[in-house]
Amino acid sequence: MTDKQLNHKINQAFSKVTPDCLDSVLKDCKEEKGEMIAMTNQTNRRQWGKLIAVAASIVLLITGVGFYGNYHLNHTAVSTVSLDVNPAIEMKLNKKERVLNVIPLNEDGEKIIGDMDFKNSDLDVAVNALVGSMLKNGYLSDISNSILVSVDGADAQKSAAIQQELSAEIDSFMKSQGMDVAIVSQIVDNHAAETIAEKFGLSLGKAQFIEKLVAANPRYTVEALAGMTFNELNVLAQTSKMDMTDMNSTGKASQKAYIGQDRAEAIALAHAGIARADVLKLKSDLETEQGMMVYDVDFNTRNMEYEVLVNAETGGIVSMTSEKDYLDQDDVVPEGNYIGKEAAKNIALNYAGLKESEVKNLICKRDNDDGVICYEVEFDSKTTEYKIVVDAKTGKILEAETDKIDNDIIVKPSTSQISEKDAKSIALNYAGLKESEVKNLTCKRDDDDGVICYEVEFDSKTTEYKIVVDAKTGKILEAETDKIDNDIIVKPSTSQISEKDAKSIALNYAGLKESEVKNLTCKRDDDDGVICYEVKFDSKTTEYDIVVDAKTGKILEVETEKIDDASSSASNIGKQSAINAAVNHAGLRASEVKHVKCELDDDDGMLVYEVEFTSGRYEYSYTIDALKGAVLEYEKEIDD
């Protein structure tokens, strides 16, 4: 809509306020021309004078009361209507629903009103002009199509009528412009939200809406939502469980500014290095993280749980967390894919080196061990009690316990004892592993209540093993296995692991070799009394920050951030280009920003520009790739 069209709308409003009655007045004057009014003489001038004085007093009284009533009717605000998109505008109305005043609540609102004067105009005309200005200035578009209409008045019935009338008027106007709009209208009934409105410079209607959204989603905060556009708030409301039964809501909030769930899921899986075929459960939701719209992508593999936050607009990785997690039985594998009890028995017997005819008390039952479906196989040989846990899907031995039976049956010892090498070999064979596949392998000779044995310990990628081997017979007397909480644990030979070990743990976690990364650093730190190593390095696509416990080798914290692979030979874009990239991304013009700062920085080996500026009530911070000009990170917050 052009300025000319907007002004025409306002002119129409004023035309309606002052009706054209000139022709009617002239017509009446012509009809009275030439007529003579007869005048009669008055006999009692004094009496008539008194009557005239009384009549004049009455007329003055009636006129004064009428004038006061009419003035009060026309100039007293009885209700308030607010419009929120990102511009926030408030209108004061008299009892006749004419506009007394239009108040901008932020800089965007000032831009929308411009030099238009709405005093005494009809409400619908003023609303059409304001919405048209929002459309013209790009605040309402295909990618941001939501508007909040809030009515605050003492007469609830009249407020409801205004609410419905304006919703229909805006919908009709937007359709005439060829655009679908999402309108939420409400009655302001929570004046306790005034504290929020005053603190963050919001309309009372938007403050009330935010309060309801936070009440429905405790993970949200008023501070994070206050700086968001209404389209973003409407997206969150429509994709969450917010109760909107006390509002009128039509249309769907646009998500065209966002990359979409499918792409967000693909980005998250690629960042975690997980193939889609290996994912057992996956879900993603459009959420907000500190005022930024993100896709929260949650997925599970066989024994890991991941949460990846993906920037909904740019597709950049905001954060990733992962932890050990075992899914419920129904999530792991369908019933038909289990190996079966007979197969589990055979696996356990083969592990013990025994046939079914050589054991007694053989039982096999299926179990759920912390979400892992398994078979628990128990039996006794002549000398040993066995309890062996077999993975129901893969057939791997997850745990094995043996206990020597004290009875009259004694295995005749051989004349010689096996060597440490033999004991290691027996233990490794039991675990189904090669020496090259384990670490921290130790073997020590011991006397266990008169029985000479070897105590063999080692770690695979997922399991700690402790196996006791009879030094005379080579039989396994006892076996203990324990799942490792993290993907990698280095068992220290001294009180603390070395920097080299910490680097190895971090690299193994990332699935990378030292030759495949750059900017590898490792520094020792004290994190609230916990001595740890902070290991940082970059792959081609990802920046890693991994904290490793200096005593146990466990991974305490992992932070990853996606980076753009930039050629070192590429030219620097320059400060002005970096500023332009940030301002354009924020949807602003150069004339709308103030207090601009731009500094070139080295972010762990990556050349970036740190750009800061303010616009209106907001403060913006951007990290721009100095070689490609891409937006790597940004924040938008209210400038206190």
Side-chain angles (χ1 to χ4, degrees):
M1 179 176 288
T2 65
D3 289 335
K4 185 176 180 181
Q5 289 172 315
L6 288 177
N7 290 330
H8 179 65
K9 283 281 186 182
I10 303 303
N11 288 335
Q12 284 182 325
F14 282 99
S15 296
K16 291 179 181 179
V17 173
T18 309
D20 187 1
C21 58
L22 179 59
D23 291 341
S24 176
V25 172
L26 291 175
K27 182 174 181 293
D28 290 341
C29 289
K30 289 178 181 178
E31 290 175 353
E32 298 292 334
K33 186 176 181 181
E35 292 188 9
M36 183 177 292
I37 302 174
M39 304 293 293
T40 58
N41 292 330
Q42 306 300 320
T43 58
N44 194 338
R45 294 178 178 271
R46 182 176 297 178
Q47 183 177 0
W48 279 109
K50 291 180 180 180
L51 289 173
I52 290 170
V54 171
S57 299
I58 293 171
V59 168
L60 287 173
L61 178 61
I62 294 172
T63 302
V65 171
F67 177 81
Y68 175 79
N70 189 57
Y71 183 88
H72 182 76
L73 180 67
N74 290 326
H75 294 83
T76 301
V78 297
S79 58
T80 301
V81 172
S82 61
L83 304 178
D84 283 282
V85 177
N86 189 42
I89 296 171
E90 197 172 77
M91 291 174 284
K92 301 292 185 181
L93 309 180
N94 65 16
K95 199 168 184 178
K96 294 181 179 180
E97 293 181 22
R98 292 190 180 275
V99 177
L100 298 177
N101 196 12
V102 177
I103 306 165
L105 301 181
N106 56 18
E107 285 191 8
D108 292 333
E110 292 177 0
K111 184 188 297 184
I112 293 306
I113 295 172
D115 57 0
M116 292 186 290
D117 183 5
F118 296 99
K119 191 172 183 180
N120 291 328
S121 65
D122 286 340
L123 175 60
D124 59 343
V125 174
V127 168
N128 277 340
L130 291 169
V131 172
S133 183
M134 291 180 189
L135 186 63
K136 174 190 172 187
N137 286 278
Y139 291 102
L140 283 171
S141 64
D142 285 339
I143 64 174
S144 181
N145 70 334
S146 298
I147 184 167
L148 173 66
V149 179
S150 305
V151 183
D152 182 11
D155 188 334
Q157 187 174 357
K158 192 164 187 177
S159 295
I162 294 173
Q163 174 192 5
Q164 294 176 3
E165 177 187 339
L166 290 184
S167 295
E169 185 72 28
I170 293 171
D171 184 63
S172 176
F173 176 79
M174 292 297 286
K175 284 180 178 177
S176 73
Q177 304 300 311
M179 183 179 295
D180 292 328
V181 66
I183 304 170
V184 177
S185 61
Q186 62 177 355
I187 301 298
V188 175
D189 54 11
N190 178 17
H191 288 82
E194 287 179 357
T195 303
I196 295 173
E198 291 175 4
K199 180 177 180 180
F200 296 100
L202 308 174
S203 71
L204 185 56
K206 187 174 181 180
Q208 175 175 286
F209 189 89
I210 288 174
E211 268 207 335
K212 291 181 179 180
L213 189 54
V214 171
N217 302 271
R219 63 186 178 280
Y220 299 157
T221 64
V222 172
E223 290 76 10
L225 300 183
M228 300 180 73
T229 67
F230 183 67
N231 192 75
E232 291 172 327
L233 296 176
N234 200 16
V235 167
L236 294 176
Q238 291 184 356
T239 56
S240 68
K241 297 179 180 179
M242 178 175 170
D243 183 8
M244 299 178 70
T245 54
D246 58 344
M247 308 177 195
N248 291 330
S249 179
T250 61
K252 188 173 182 181
S254 175
Q255 297 186 24
K256 291 182 179 180
Y258 310 135
I259 61 175
Q261 286 186 320
D262 290 344
R263 188 178 170 198
E265 290 170 1
I267 290 171
L269 292 173
H271 183 74
I274 303 297
R276 184 65 181 85
D278 295 331
V279 175
L280 302 176
K281 281 180 68 175
L282 185 148
K283 71 169 186 173
S284 57
D285 297 301
L286 193 56
E287 297 286 354
T288 179
E289 179 70 13
Q290 297 181 346
M292 179 193 303
M293 295 299 287
V294 299
Y295 286 100
D296 185 352
V297 185
D298 298 304
F299 54 95
N300 298 75
T301 60
R302 174 85 175 129
N303 54 12
M304 291 292 292
E305 180 180 344
Y306 295 84
E307 181 183 17
V308 183
L309 299 184
V310 181
N311 187 305
E313 294 183 14
T314 67
I317 298 295
V318 177
S319 67
M320 183 180 84
T321 58
S322 60
E323 60 182 13
K324 283 281 186 183
D325 182 62
Y326 298 100
L327 303 179
D328 293 336
Q329 175 177 341
D330 294 338
D331 294 323
V332 177
V333 62
E335 179 72 27
N337 287 349
Y338 295 148
I339 61 174
K341 288 185 178 182
E342 287 301 316
K345 288 179 185 178
N346 291 333
I347 290 169
L349 290 168
N350 287 336
Y351 147 75
L354 297 166
K355 299 177 182 178
E356 188 169 350
S357 59
E358 297 174 329
V359 302
K360 58 182 179 180
N361 304 321
L362 176 60
I363 59 173
C364 179
K365 62 182 180 180
R366 203 178 77 182
D367 198 10
N368 186 328
D369 187 8
D370 291 334
V372 178
I373 308 305
C374 56
Y375 291 100
E376 196 170 278
V377 186
E378 296 181 8
F379 52 90
D380 300 334
S381 71
K382 291 181 179 180
T383 61
T384 309
E385 291 177 346
Y386 292 85
K387 180 181 178 181
I388 301 171
V389 180
V390 181
D391 189 299
K393 182 180 179 183
T394 65
K396 288 188 176 182
I397 293 176
L398 303 177
E399 184 179 350
E401 294 179 9
T402 60
D403 192 21
K404 193 174 178 66
I405 298 173
D406 291 331
N407 52 33
D408 295 332
I409 302 174
I410 303 294
V411 177
K412 187 176 181 180
S414 60
T415 55
S416 60
Q417 293 184 358
I418 64 173
S419 65
E420 284 189 6
K421 184 178 179 180
D422 292 332
K424 288 180 182 178
S425 179
I426 292 169
L428 289 167
N429 285 336
Y430 148 74
L433 297 167
K434 299 176 182 178
E435 188 168 351
S436 60
E437 296 173 332
V438 303
K439 58 185 178 179
N440 307 319
L441 175 60
T442 62
C443 181
K444 63 181 180 179
R445 199 164 177 270
D446 197 12
D447 186 337
D448 186 11
D449 293 333
V451 177
I452 306 302
C453 58
Y454 289 99
E455 196 170 278
V456 186
E457 295 182 6
F458 52 90
D459 301 334
S460 70
K461 288 183 178 180
T462 61
T463 309
E464 291 178 344
Y465 292 85
K466 180 180 178 182
I467 301 171
V468 180
V469 182
D470 191 302
K472 292 183 177 180
T473 66
K475 283 186 176 289
I476 294 176
L477 303 178
E478 184 180 349
E480 294 179 5
T481 61
D482 190 22
K483 281 198 171 291
I484 297 172
D485 290 336
N486 294 292
D487 288 340
I488 300 295
I489 287 186
V490 174
K491 188 171 182 178
S493 55
T494 59
S495 58
Q496 291 185 358
I497 64 173
S498 65
E499 285 191 10
K500 183 178 179 181
D501 291 331
K503 288 180 182 178
S504 177
I505 292 168
L507 289 167
N508 284 334
Y509 168 86
L512 297 167
K513 299 177 183 177
E514 189 167 350
S515 60
E516 296 174 324
V517 304
K518 59 182 180 178
N519 306 319
L520 176 59
T521 62
C522 181
K523 64 179 182 180
R524 198 164 175 271
D525 197 9
D526 186 330
D527 186 8
D528 292 333
V530 178
I531 306 302
C532 57
Y533 289 101
E534 187 173 7
V535 186
K536 294 183 178 181
F537 53 88
D538 300 336
S539 69
K540 289 182 178 180
T541 60
T542 308
E543 185 179 291
Y544 292 87
D545 186 347
I546 301 175
V547 180
V548 181
D549 191 308
K551 185 176 181 181
T552 65
K554 287 188 177 183
I555 293 176
L556 303 177
E557 185 178 345
V558 177
E559 290 184 8
T560 60
E561 186 174 330
K562 190 170 184 179
I563 57 177
D564 291 328
D565 184 21
S567 171
S568 59
S569 62
S571 59
N572 190 315
I573 63 169
K575 285 189 176 182
Q576 191 56 51
S577 295
I579 293 171
N580 292 342
V583 172
N584 290 336
H585 184 274
L588 300 169
R589 293 191 290 266
S591 60
E592 298 174 316
V593 302
K594 300 177 181 178
H595 310 116
V596 181
K597 295 180 183 178
C598 182
E599 294 181 0
L600 187 63
D601 194 13
D602 186 332
D603 188 2
D604 289 335
M606 186 176 190
L607 203 59
V608 298
Y609 280 106
E610 301 291 348
V611 183
E612 297 180 358
F613 56 85
T614 61
S615 179
R617 297 172 51 251
Y618 297 101
E619 184 178 273
Y620 297 80
S621 299
Y622 276 83
T623 301
I624 307 295
D625 189 320
L627 302 179
K628 289 187 172 183
V631 175
L632 302 177
E633 294 180 40
Y634 74 94
E635 291 183 359
K636 176 184 175 183
E637 58 186 5
I638 293 177
D639 184 8
D640 296 329

